[in-house]
Amino acid sequence: MEEEIRTSVDSSSSVNLPLRTICHVCHKQFSQYTCPRCNSRYCSLQCYKSHSNRCTESFMRENVVEELRQLRTDDSTKRKTLDILKRFHSEEEMEGLDEDDSTLSEETIEKVLAVSAGDQLSFDDLSAEEKKRFLRAMASGELSKMIEPWEAWWTKPSARTISLSKEGTPLVQLHAEQQSTISLTSGVEANQSSEIPRGPNTPLPLLSKLSSAKPSPLLAVHLVDIIYSYCFTLRLYNGDWQSDAIGSALVVLSVSSVLGQSGQPETVLEALSSCLEQTCSPAYRHVGGLQLGLSLIDDVAILLSLGGPALVCLLCDLQRLIQAGERDLKSEKRRKKSRWSDIGTKLKHADRKIFFIMCWVHEQPSEAWSTLENIVKMEKSSIMEFENHKMSTKMDSKAKGSDKVLIEEIK
């Protein structure tokens, strides 16, 4: 059982103060972060690195190898993969590396080029040394620099033309056999359906049907937390959360305090600060840190500016992500059941919470989103002002320290 301490000066106080969890590694400090893989609570980078080799090192290798072995690609994907490998190979040659240090041999590149349609691009096609270099290049981020950045769907023009029915479903419900015909006769509908996540397949129920209680006034704050975690996850996976549904779902739970930790932020600033804390944590700092976090706040503001229909589509896509994680989790037979039981429970709770907020969003007036958008922008400005002040103070203290006289003349 987790060791928890109620942070209170006076134990007789009637005020219910929050419980804080002790770090599961050092058992000395209060935990500030949650491992996105095993849900273990830790307090610092040192504790994160030492809490589990499976989470920090071997996990990456095992999943990369497994993903590559199971990957089946078409000709287009193979050509893109080959281009990436060739660019990486040529860049290292331009840097003056010896022939023996080449990341991928000419023979291996020819193997990839010769792969026929329908066959696999196997990790086993690489030599032992090439496998090491490939994993090293992936861990260092060298390969990721060569992947074309994903263009978020909410930044595309079609995102501003999303329309849903009064029941929350898409205005046009397509049958499978009609899909190709529509794509030829109507470029607008085809473009929207391919770029924008599809809305609910069935009408959304009224909130009064889901709960007799009045909706919490904090739902708007919780929505900000959820939107941020969705944007972070999609940008982390370059828009392709389907490639690792379990991993994507775990990222959502670790970044969103509302979905992953039953958090109840009471202000937009509190919600954004919690998300930024996770973004800048040791688990994700390498992705972009504070700079990425601030750009994600811009993503939140953009999505709010698109209005209710876009938010419903977002939440519907997030629900699909969580449900896909649930399904993959149930079929994961290599893992011990006890290890995943807690995560499975959290995913079920997240699924229900997302659906409830989706129904709530659908019933809100359009002007509510412009108001929330302005609040998000205002809080981002206050966060940036605070960070700039902190940086300025730090630089001033360093300057004062360098001006100190190291040796005083004795009179």
Side-chain angles (χ1 to χ4, degrees):
M1 181 177 292
E2 291 186 352
E3 184 178 356
E4 296 177 326
I5 295 179
R6 189 177 296 278
T7 54
S8 175
V9 176
D10 182 5
S11 60
S12 63
S13 173
S14 59
V15 179
N16 292 324
L17 295 175
L19 293 174
R20 300 186 66 184
T21 306
I22 293 295
C23 174
H24 291 180
V25 183
C26 68
H27 302 288
K28 295 179 181 179
Q29 303 291 335
F30 287 121
S31 63
Q32 300 183 55
Y33 313 109
T34 303
C35 174
R37 294 296 176 185
C38 68
N39 258 16
S40 179
R41 299 284 297 177
Y42 61 94
C43 66
S44 63
L45 176 60
Q46 183 178 359
C47 287
Y48 172 74
K49 288 181 176 180
S50 61
H51 89 280
S52 172
N53 287 334
R54 178 164 47 196
C55 292
T56 56
E57 295 178 3
S58 60
F59 184 86
M60 174 182 288
R61 174 179 172 80
E62 291 172 4
N63 282 271
V64 167
V65 172
E66 187 65 25
E67 186 68 23
L68 288 173
R69 283 176 176 167
Q70 294 181 0
L71 183 63
R72 289 192 174 273
T73 56
D74 53 21
D75 290 338
S76 174
T77 305
K78 290 172 185 175
R79 284 194 296 271
K80 290 180 181 178
T81 303
L82 179 61
D83 290 340
I84 291 174
L85 297 179
K86 281 188 171 181
R87 286 202 304 272
F88 188 58
H89 181 65
S90 60
E91 284 185 13
E92 286 207 334
E93 285 184 337
M94 291 176 63
E95 290 174 1
L97 294 178
D98 296 335
E99 186 176 349
D100 292 340
D101 291 333
S102 177
T103 302
L104 296 174
S105 66
E106 292 294 338
E107 181 183 358
T108 301
I109 292 181
E110 289 302 322
K111 281 182 185 179
V112 178
L113 184 61
V115 172
S116 59
D119 289 342
Q120 289 182 252
L121 289 175
S122 175
F123 184 73
D124 294 328
D125 287 335
L126 303 179
S127 67
E129 184 63 25
E130 286 170 339
K131 289 177 182 178
K132 291 180 182 179
R133 294 184 181 278
F134 179 82
L135 292 172
R136 194 181 307 141
M138 179 171 287
S140 66
E142 288 299 318
L143 288 181
S144 64
K145 295 177 183 177
M146 301 176 189
I147 299 175
E148 184 179 353
W150 171 67
E151 184 181 358
W153 62 262
W154 53 87
T155 63
K156 297 182 179 181
S158 56
R160 298 199 170 273
T161 61
I162 302 174
S163 297
L164 300 176
S165 67
K166 292 182 179 181
E167 293 78 21
T169 55
L171 291 175
V172 179
Q173 295 283 358
L174 302 179
H175 294 288
E177 60 271 15
Q178 294 175 320
Q179 191 72 41
S180 57
T181 304
I182 292 294
S183 63
L184 293 173
T185 58
S186 179
V188 175
E189 287 88 348
N191 188 46
Q192 178 171 325
S193 63
S194 62
E195 293 181 347
I196 309 301
R198 192 156 182 80
N201 294 324
T202 57
L204 295 175
L206 297 174
L207 280 178
S208 57
K209 300 290 184 180
L210 299 177
S211 173
S212 58
K214 187 177 180 180
S216 169
L218 299 178
L219 287 181
V221 175
H222 297 176
L223 177 64
V224 170
D225 169 281
I226 292 172
I227 296 174
Y228 184 105
S229 67
Y230 172 83
C231 294
F232 178 88
T233 304
L234 261 66
R235 291 207 178 273
L236 180 65
Y237 282 87
N238 213 38
D240 185 22
W241 61 258
Q242 294 91 342
S243 63
D244 183 8
I246 296 179
S248 300
L250 291 176
V251 170
V252 171
L253 294 183
S254 65
V255 175
S256 171
S257 64
V258 172
L259 297 178
Q261 298 141 38
S262 300
Q264 298 287 327
E266 297 182 356
T267 64
V268 171
L269 180 59
E270 184 182 348
L272 292 175
S273 298
S274 175
C275 291
L276 284 173
E277 183 181 20
Q278 289 299 325
T279 305
C280 298
S281 69
Y284 299 122
R285 189 179 298 158
H286 66 283
V287 180
L290 181 62
Q291 184 177 1
L292 172 64
L294 294 175
S295 68
L296 288 168
I297 297 178
D298 290 334
D299 285 335
V300 174
I302 291 173
L303 279 157
L304 290 171
S305 72
L306 298 177
L311 296 175
V312 169
C313 289
L314 177 154
L315 292 167
C316 197
D317 193 39
L318 180 57
Q319 188 182 35
R320 294 190 193 101
L321 185 159
I322 295 295
Q323 291 174 347
E326 285 186 83
R327 288 193 300 271
D328 289 0
L329 199 62
K330 291 178 181 178
S331 62
E332 188 69 52
K333 297 180 180 179
R334 294 173 301 162
R335 313 290 185 182
K336 294 182 179 179
K337 186 176 180 180
S338 58
R339 182 185 172 190
W340 295 102
S341 59
D342 182 53
I343 297 176
T345 301
K346 286 188 175 183
L347 288 176
K348 290 179 181 178
H349 289 326
D351 185 3
R352 290 196 291 267
K353 191 169 293 186
I354 291 169
F355 182 71
F356 183 85
I357 291 186
M358 190 194 308
C359 296
W360 174 81
V361 165
H362 180 59
E363 293 187 10
Q364 302 310 301
S366 58
E367 56 268 20
W369 310 124
S370 59
T371 302
L372 188 56
E373 175 195 357
N374 290 331
I375 295 174
V376 168
K377 289 180 177 178
M378 181 182 66
E379 297 299 4
K380 182 198 172 183
S381 298
S382 65
I383 290 172
M384 292 180 65
E385 184 178 346
F386 173 76
E387 291 296 332
N388 290 335
H389 175 72
K390 187 168 66 173
M391 183 65 69
S392 177
T393 303
K394 187 176 181 180
M395 293 178 66
D396 289 344
S397 62
K398 284 185 177 180
K400 290 179 181 178
S402 62
D403 291 340
K404 289 183 179 179
V405 179
L406 299 180
I407 302 176
E408 293 184 0
E409 183 180 356
I410 301 176
K411 296 181 180 180

